Amino acid sequence: MIDPTPIGLGRKPAALRRLSVELGMHVVGATGYYRDKFHPPEVATMTVAEIENVIYREVADGMDETDVRAGLIGELGTSGKQITPSEEKVLIAAARVQRETGTPIMVHTEGVRETVLRALALLERNGADIEKVHICHVNRARWWKDVVSRGATIGLDCFGSIFSIDSETAMNPTDQARIEDLREIFDSGHGDKVLVSNDICMKMRLHKYGGWGYDHIQTNLYPFLHRAGFTDAELRVLFEENPRRFLDTPDRAT
């Protein structure tokens, strides 16, 4: 399980450790800064080096005054059709930390091809291994091949989100539409470049409030994919090999 809650948005690294132990489940916490709108005020005046130092410390030593280390840099932010100056600083700093530590990077995007490609170019120029970069929310995007051709993985990561948000102009696609997109990706020979998730970020997504819950992928999507004709080998790539390859990092001293 990945909790890509970045700095300033209510992370609870000690709680993640407790849940990991109690449930016998690997849980990956994250560092970095999200979209400009959600940055702590100090980010606006921080230098790239200062941001880099914060991210590096959280990867190497621990988050929020704990010794629980981040295994992911993200979910970093871009804002629609732009990458703001603060977001650019964060992306540059993240690339530098990834170059030194091998920690994977996850980038939030909002369906704008040019912004995605600019973010990838910025990361690569500053030393990031694009094979270890994940572009979030590439849902129904016809330009997904432009991303995987550069080496990054893409996220069909909103399974269970069958609703609209007041800031958006269209209803989210159905899970059936997402499954069809996933089939296209595998049939195109790029099944090793996609990760699936349900992007739990609202209370209404939880079972308690009528949502599909955290287990939607395992409980519902997996059998749906089987019935849609995905083979055991393809599901092993999707649910085991792809996440393992993306999250794997060099051994670090404990």
Side-chain angles (χ1 to χ4, degrees), residues 15-244:
L16 293 182
R17 170 182 280 168
R18 175 177 58 79
L19 287 171
S20 177
V21 172
E22 291 180 0
L23 298 174
M25 176 187 296
H26 292 295
V27 180
V28 180
T31 183
Y33 299 95
Y34 188 49
R35 292 167 51 203
D36 196 319
K37 179 180 177 180
F38 299 94
H39 285 178
E42 63 270 17
V43 176
T45 58
M46 291 172 71
T47 65
V48 170
E50 289 170 334
I51 296 171
E52 178 185 354
N53 186 51
V54 170
I55 295 173
Y56 180 84
R57 285 201 319 268
E58 296 208 332
V59 167
D61 301 325
M63 301 175 283
D64 295 344
E65 300 182 354
T66 73
D67 62 352
V68 179
R69 295 174 295 176
L72 175 74
I73 304 172
E75 183 176 340
L76 308 182
T78 59
S79 296
K81 296 181 179 180
Q82 64 175 331
I83 300 174
T84 71
S86 285
E87 291 167 349
E88 183 169 314
K89 288 190 298 184
V90 172
L91 289 168
I92 293 171
R96 293 177 179 178
V97 175
Q98 196 231 55
R99 181 179 60 198
E100 187 167 354
T101 66
T103 307
I105 293 172
M106 177 180 284
V107 182
H108 168 89
T109 62
E110 298 176 351
V112 181
R113 174 183 178 274
E114 291 73 21
T115 304
V116 171
L117 298 184
R118 183 183 167 203
L120 287 174
L122 184 63
L123 289 166
E124 190 166 31
R125 279 200 308 273
N126 287 279
D129 175 5
I130 300 301
E131 296 281 341
K132 302 287 284 185
V133 173
H134 178 72
I135 299 298
C136 300
H137 317 319
V138 185
N139 299 295
R140 306 252 82 187
R142 296 299 89 196
W143 40 263
W144 63 267
K145 286 184 181 179
D146 295 338
V147 180
V148 301
S149 68
R150 285 161 172 78
T153 60
I154 55 174
L156 296 190
D157 48 18
C158 292
F159 279 93
S161 301
I162 308 172
F163 53 83
S164 63
I165 302 173
D166 60 6
S167 62
E168 299 176 349
T169 58
M171 181 72 78
N172 280 332
T174 64
D175 279 6
Q176 181 59 43
R178 296 182 179 106
I179 290 172
E180 292 168 3
D181 286 349
L182 189 59
R183 182 70 270 168
E184 178 188 340
I185 292 168
F186 269 83
D187 288 347
S188 298
H190 298 288
D192 61 337
K193 287 295 185 180
V194 61
L195 299 173
V196 295
S197 179
N198 46 6
D199 196 32
I200 300 286
C201 58
M202 303 175 187
K203 286 183 177 180
M204 70 177 185
R205 305 290 308 284
L206 304 177
H207 286 302
K208 181 178 180 179
Y209 299 95
W212 288 100
Y214 285 108
D215 65 318
H216 179 47
I217 300 295
Q218 292 82 358
T219 302
N220 303 308
L221 180 61
Y222 193 94
F224 287 164
L225 292 175
H226 245 308
R227 289 197 293 272
F230 283 80
T231 67
D232 289 338
E234 289 173 328
L235 294 178
R236 187 162 52 250
V237 168
L238 184 64
F239 288 104
E240 297 179 29
E241 296 175 14
N242 290 355
R244 183 184 299 120

